[in-house]
Amino acid sequence: MTVRARPWLNRVHPYEPGRPSLNSDGSMASNESPIGTSPEVAVAVSAALSGVHRYPDPLADELRKELASQHGVHPDQILVGNGSDELIYLLAWAFLAHGGRAVCADPPYRIDEISTFVVDARLNKVPLKDWAHDLDAMSQVEADVAYIVNPHNPTGTAHSRAEIEGFVELSRAALVVVDEAYIDFTDDPEQTTVMPLAREGDVVVLRTLSKVYALAGLRVGYMVASRDVVTTLRKIRPPFSVGALAQAAALAAVRDNAHRQRVRDHVLRLRGEVTCLVQQAGYLAVPSQANFVLVEVPDELAFVAHLASHGIEVRPGSVLGLPGTVRISVPSDSGLALLRRALSSKPGKAR
Ligand SMILES: *Cc1c(COP(=O)(O)O)cnc(C)c1O
């Protein structure tokens, strides 16, 4: 007897991760932090090593309490996950499985799309308008869950809090999920985040420690939501999905506000530099509020190959649903020098 996957899984196109480059400075495919994590993280992880024969704290209580106090919410409104990607899967299981309906932008953040298909739900993808979510069109779609990614990946565009508040008011979705993975890189994070709505239980906000906190390799994300949503997800989550070292690292990282500020300052400065470089080379760059820049190129394959020959890996737009573009993550200072050299000559024709 051969086992076969459930028929609906034929619709699932698996996630294609970005490739790292040989030289770490050339890795510009995955929106990681180019300047590493807080020095406090190594200290905290070393100390936590003595406890790894024990299971981790299932709910990451210490981390939850710290995050709750930072965001002015009750700890029971927070759920920590193995990256925010795990939380997106939990939302799909709980609120979309077997015939539920979701609405998102087209192109979406790929995990929103994949998790919807994995639980056999229907997804309505609404084309972007001027590289940003078409909030008016999305608000008219009846759905169990609406996904807003703010700033959006892969375009880097952001909506104001007022725009998202307006969407929440009009939306015909039962639950609005706002993924704020890149919120720290917006011009004014405090005024852009919809955390005040999450505090009231009106939306779910997703945050990750993979970007500004530079812990992509340890897999920690969290959500802020109503207690009801958190209680529901706690029923179905794997109890020990966030390891003890990851919890210790995360706690140290979120307490190091100065390091977070350094990463933010670096990203904002180099995002400007990258934007200038690609514009001077004659390409259109979408104005970005994230830690990457989306660039329109005449020949995507040739552009990607040209950068690769200079030791740089970027994300081809066609795997992100935007053929004819590439997404370049904001690099380190040495990475910027690599990029400057690469862009000083033109790509040839792709074979
Ligand atoms: C990078 C990213 C995340 C983070 O995912 P993790 O699983 O926490 O690493 C979440 N949402 C979006 C839109 C992202 O680009």
Side-chain angles (χ1 to χ4, degrees), residues 248-271:
L251 188 59
V254 300
R255 283 181 171 156
D256 191 344
N257 200 36
H259 187 78
R260 182 178 61 163
Q261 199 57 46
R262 276 195 292 278
V263 175
R264 175 183 148 82
D265 292 347
H266 172 91
V267 165
L268 266 56
R269 179 167 62 83
L270 269 82
R271 179 172 74 201

mmCIF file of all heavy atoms in Angstrom, residues 248-271:
data_model
loop_
_atom_site.group_PDB
_atom_site.id
_atom_site.type_symbol
_atom_site.label_atom_id
_atom_site.label_comp_id
_atom_site.label_asym_id
_atom_site.label_seq_id
_atom_site.Cartn_x
_atom_site.Cartn_y
_atom_site.Cartn_z
ATOM 1 N N ALA A 248 15.863 32.321 26.143
ATOM 2 C CA ALA A 248 16.861 33.128 26.851
ATOM 3 C C ALA A 248 17.405 34.221 25.934
ATOM 4 O O ALA A 248 17.562 35.385 26.339
ATOM 5 C CB ALA A 248 18.001 32.229 27.349
ATOM 6 N N ALA A 249 17.693 33.845 24.703
ATOM 7 C CA ALA A 249 18.226 34.809 23.740
ATOM 8 C C ALA A 249 17.218 35.921 23.482
ATOM 9 O O ALA A 249 17.558 37.113 23.437
ATOM 10 C CB ALA A 249 18.571 34.098 22.437
ATOM 11 N N ALA A 250 15.970 35.541 23.325
ATOM 12 C CA ALA A 250 14.932 36.509 23.003
ATOM 13 C C ALA A 250 14.767 37.528 24.135
ATOM 14 O O ALA A 250 14.662 38.737 23.893
ATOM 15 C CB ALA A 250 13.607 35.792 22.744
ATOM 16 N N LEU A 251 14.788 37.022 25.364
ATOM 17 C CA LEU A 251 14.625 37.920 26.511
ATOM 18 C C LEU A 251 15.765 38.945 26.536
ATOM 19 O O LEU A 251 15.541 40.149 26.720
ATOM 20 C CB LEU A 251 14.591 37.092 27.803
ATOM 21 C CG LEU A 251 14.238 37.835 29.081
ATOM 22 C CD1 LEU A 251 12.856 38.474 28.970
ATOM 23 C CD2 LEU A 251 14.285 36.880 30.274
ATOM 24 N N ALA A 252 16.981 38.452 26.320
ATOM 25 C CA ALA A 252 18.134 39.374 26.322
ATOM 26 C C ALA A 252 18.008 40.381 25.174
ATOM 27 O O ALA A 252 18.287 41.572 25.348
ATOM 28 C CB ALA A 252 19.432 38.581 26.203
ATOM 29 N N ALA A 253 17.579 39.914 24.022
ATOM 30 C CA ALA A 253 17.506 40.800 22.852
ATOM 31 C C ALA A 253 16.462 41.891 23.044
ATOM 32 O O ALA A 253 16.725 43.064 22.754
ATOM 33 C CB ALA A 253 17.206 39.981 21.598
ATOM 34 N N VAL A 254 15.271 41.524 23.542
ATOM 35 C CA VAL A 254 14.221 42.556 23.644
ATOM 36 C C VAL A 254 14.524 43.555 24.767
ATOM 37 O O VAL A 254 13.967 44.642 24.792
ATOM 38 C CB VAL A 254 12.789 41.970 23.824
ATOM 39 C CG1 VAL A 254 12.422 41.087 22.643
ATOM 40 C CG2 VAL A 254 12.630 41.253 25.143
ATOM 41 N N ARG A 255 15.426 43.169 25.685
ATOM 42 C CA ARG A 255 15.789 44.114 26.752
ATOM 43 C C ARG A 255 16.879 45.084 26.311
ATOM 44 O O ARG A 255 17.151 46.064 26.998
ATOM 45 C CB ARG A 255 16.259 43.342 27.995
ATOM 46 C CG ARG A 255 15.099 42.745 28.758
ATOM 47 C CD ARG A 255 15.565 42.005 29.997
ATOM 48 N NE ARG A 255 14.428 41.618 30.821
ATOM 49 C CZ ARG A 255 14.455 40.604 31.674
ATOM 50 N NH1 ARG A 255 15.553 39.883 31.831
ATOM 51 N NH2 ARG A 255 13.375 40.310 32.381
ATOM 52 N N ASP A 256 17.539 44.780 25.198
ATOM 53 C CA ASP A 256 18.647 45.631 24.750
ATOM 54 C C ASP A 256 18.151 46.653 23.726
ATOM 55 O O ASP A 256 18.313 46.497 22.521
ATOM 56 C CB ASP A 256 19.779 44.782 24.173
ATOM 57 C CG ASP A 256 21.047 45.610 23.960
ATOM 58 O OD1 ASP A 256 20.956 46.859 23.974
ATOM 59 O OD2 ASP A 256 22.113 45.004 23.784
ATOM 60 N N ASN A 257 17.557 47.686 24.269
ATOM 61 C CA ASN A 257 16.967 48.702 23.418
ATOM 62 C C ASN A 257 18.021 49.440 22.599
ATOM 63 O O ASN A 257 17.783 49.824 21.450
ATOM 64 C CB ASN A 257 16.185 49.680 24.309
ATOM 65 C CG ASN A 257 15.173 50.442 23.511
ATOM 66 O OD1 ASN A 257 14.574 49.888 22.584
ATOM 67 N ND2 ASN A 257 15.008 51.713 23.826
ATOM 68 N N ALA A 258 19.215 49.616 23.190
ATOM 69 C CA ALA A 258 20.276 50.363 22.493
ATOM 70 C C ALA A 258 20.707 49.612 21.234
ATOM 71 O O ALA A 258 20.928 50.215 20.181
ATOM 72 C CB ALA A 258 21.469 50.562 23.423
ATOM 73 N N HIS A 259 20.802 48.281 21.332
ATOM 74 C CA HIS A 259 21.216 47.524 20.147
ATOM 75 C C HIS A 259 20.143 47.586 19.065
ATOM 76 O O HIS A 259 20.444 47.728 17.886
ATOM 77 C CB HIS A 259 21.537 46.069 20.494
ATOM 78 C CG HIS A 259 22.123 45.322 19.326
ATOM 79 N ND1 HIS A 259 23.424 45.462 18.944
ATOM 80 C CD2 HIS A 259 21.550 44.481 18.422
ATOM 81 C CE1 HIS A 259 23.655 44.734 17.852
ATOM 82 N NE2 HIS A 259 22.531 44.128 17.528
ATOM 83 N N ARG A 260 18.899 47.479 19.493
ATOM 84 C CA ARG A 260 17.817 47.568 18.521
ATOM 85 C C ARG A 260 17.888 48.904 17.763
ATOM 86 O O ARG A 260 17.727 48.975 16.552
ATOM 87 C CB ARG A 260 16.454 47.440 19.208
ATOM 88 C CG ARG A 260 15.315 47.473 18.189
ATOM 89 C CD ARG A 260 13.978 47.293 18.818
ATOM 90 N NE ARG A 260 13.711 48.356 19.767
ATOM 91 C CZ ARG A 260 12.505 48.652 20.247
ATOM 92 N NH1 ARG A 260 11.475 47.928 19.885
ATOM 93 N NH2 ARG A 260 12.342 49.625 21.110
ATOM 94 N N GLN A 261 18.169 49.958 18.516
ATOM 95 C CA GLN A 261 18.288 51.286 17.909
ATOM 96 C C GLN A 261 19.451 51.325 16.905
ATOM 97 O O GLN A 261 19.333 51.913 15.831
ATOM 98 C CB GLN A 261 18.499 52.315 19.032
ATOM 99 C CG GLN A 261 18.188 53.738 18.646
ATOM 100 C CD GLN A 261 16.756 53.906 18.131
ATOM 101 O OE1 GLN A 261 15.803 53.399 18.727
ATOM 102 N NE2 GLN A 261 16.600 54.597 17.003
ATOM 103 N N ARG A 262 20.571 50.650 17.252
ATOM 104 C CA ARG A 262 21.722 50.617 16.334
ATOM 105 C C ARG A 262 21.354 49.917 15.031
ATOM 106 O O ARG A 262 21.711 50.370 13.946
ATOM 107 C CB ARG A 262 22.912 49.870 16.979
ATOM 108 C CG ARG A 262 23.770 50.734 17.891
ATOM 109 C CD ARG A 262 25.120 50.081 18.217
ATOM 110 N NE ARG A 262 25.005 48.890 19.057
ATOM 111 C CZ ARG A 262 24.874 48.923 20.383
ATOM 112 N NH1 ARG A 262 24.843 50.094 21.033
ATOM 113 N NH2 ARG A 262 24.768 47.813 21.090
ATOM 114 N N VAL A 263 20.628 48.789 15.148
ATOM 115 C CA VAL A 263 20.239 48.058 13.932
ATOM 116 C C VAL A 263 19.316 48.933 13.092
ATOM 117 O O VAL A 263 19.487 49.068 11.876
ATOM 118 C CB VAL A 263 19.543 46.716 14.277
ATOM 119 C CG1 VAL A 263 19.032 46.029 13.015
ATOM 120 C CG2 VAL A 263 20.505 45.796 15.029
ATOM 121 N N ARG A 264 18.352 49.554 13.743
ATOM 122 C CA ARG A 264 17.422 50.436 13.023
ATOM 123 C C ARG A 264 18.173 51.560 12.305
ATOM 124 O O ARG A 264 17.949 51.818 11.126
ATOM 125 C CB ARG A 264 16.404 51.025 14.009
ATOM 126 C CG ARG A 264 15.466 52.042 13.367
ATOM 127 C CD ARG A 264 14.509 52.666 14.395
ATOM 128 N NE ARG A 264 14.203 54.046 14.014
ATOM 129 C CZ ARG A 264 13.280 54.400 13.122
ATOM 130 N NH1 ARG A 264 12.551 53.475 12.539
ATOM 131 N NH2 ARG A 264 13.091 55.653 12.816
ATOM 132 N N ASP A 265 19.089 52.229 13.019
ATOM 133 C CA ASP A 265 19.834 53.348 12.421
ATOM 134 C C ASP A 265 20.641 52.866 11.221
ATOM 135 O O ASP A 265 20.675 53.522 10.181
ATOM 136 C CB ASP A 265 20.766 53.991 13.453
ATOM 137 C CG ASP A 265 19.980 54.712 14.542
ATOM 138 O OD1 ASP A 265 18.758 54.910 14.360
ATOM 139 O OD2 ASP A 265 20.579 55.048 15.588
ATOM 140 N N HIS A 266 21.299 51.703 11.375
ATOM 141 C CA HIS A 266 22.086 51.156 10.266
ATOM 142 C C HIS A 266 21.192 50.894 9.053
ATOM 143 O O HIS A 266 21.527 51.278 7.934
ATOM 144 C CB HIS A 266 22.777 49.856 10.694
ATOM 145 C CG HIS A 266 23.441 49.136 9.565
ATOM 146 N ND1 HIS A 266 24.757 49.353 9.214
ATOM 147 C CD2 HIS A 266 22.960 48.233 8.673
ATOM 148 C CE1 HIS A 266 25.054 48.625 8.147
ATOM 149 N NE2 HIS A 266 23.991 47.915 7.805
ATOM 150 N N VAL A 267 20.062 50.250 9.308
ATOM 151 C CA VAL A 267 19.185 49.871 8.194
ATOM 152 C C VAL A 267 18.648 51.113 7.484
ATOM 153 O O VAL A 267 18.651 51.177 6.254
ATOM 154 C CB VAL A 267 18.032 48.965 8.677
ATOM 155 C CG1 VAL A 267 16.937 48.859 7.628
ATOM 156 C CG2 VAL A 267 18.566 47.583 9.041
ATOM 157 N N LEU A 268 18.251 52.127 8.246
ATOM 158 C CA LEU A 268 17.698 53.315 7.600
ATOM 159 C C LEU A 268 18.762 54.033 6.761
ATOM 160 O O LEU A 268 18.492 54.497 5.659
ATOM 161 C CB LEU A 268 17.067 54.261 8.630
ATOM 162 C CG LEU A 268 15.555 54.052 8.825
ATOM 163 C CD1 LEU A 268 15.200 52.639 9.199
ATOM 164 C CD2 LEU A 268 14.973 55.042 9.820
ATOM 165 N N ARG A 269 19.994 54.088 7.294
ATOM 166 C CA ARG A 269 21.077 54.750 6.554
ATOM 167 C C ARG A 269 21.395 53.975 5.270
ATOM 168 O O ARG A 269 21.425 54.538 4.180
ATOM 169 C CB ARG A 269 22.323 54.828 7.457
ATOM 170 C CG ARG A 269 23.542 55.468 6.823
ATOM 171 C CD ARG A 269 24.618 55.780 7.881
ATOM 172 N NE ARG A 269 25.109 54.578 8.558
ATOM 173 C CZ ARG A 269 26.057 53.773 8.061
ATOM 174 N NH1 ARG A 269 26.611 54.051 6.903
ATOM 175 N NH2 ARG A 269 26.441 52.694 8.721
ATOM 176 N N LEU A 270 21.578 52.639 5.411
ATOM 177 C CA LEU A 270 21.973 51.877 4.215
ATOM 178 C C LEU A 270 20.830 51.658 3.234
ATOM 179 O O LEU A 270 21.071 51.499 2.041
ATOM 180 C CB LEU A 270 22.644 50.554 4.607
ATOM 181 C CG LEU A 270 24.159 50.778 4.726
ATOM 182 C CD1 LEU A 270 24.480 51.374 6.071
ATOM 183 C CD2 LEU A 270 24.945 49.550 4.429
ATOM 184 N N ARG A 271 19.614 51.691 3.727
ATOM 185 C CA ARG A 271 18.474 51.594 2.799
ATOM 186 C C ARG A 271 18.503 52.782 1.840
ATOM 187 O O ARG A 271 18.289 52.633 0.640
ATOM 188 C CB ARG A 271 17.170 51.591 3.600
ATOM 189 C CG ARG A 271 15.918 51.509 2.731
ATOM 190 C CD ARG A 271 14.697 51.319 3.597
ATOM 191 N NE ARG A 271 14.313 52.535 4.306
ATOM 192 C CZ ARG A 271 13.555 52.567 5.402
ATOM 193 N NH1 ARG A 271 13.094 51.455 5.929
ATOM 194 N NH2 ARG A 271 13.256 53.721 5.986
#
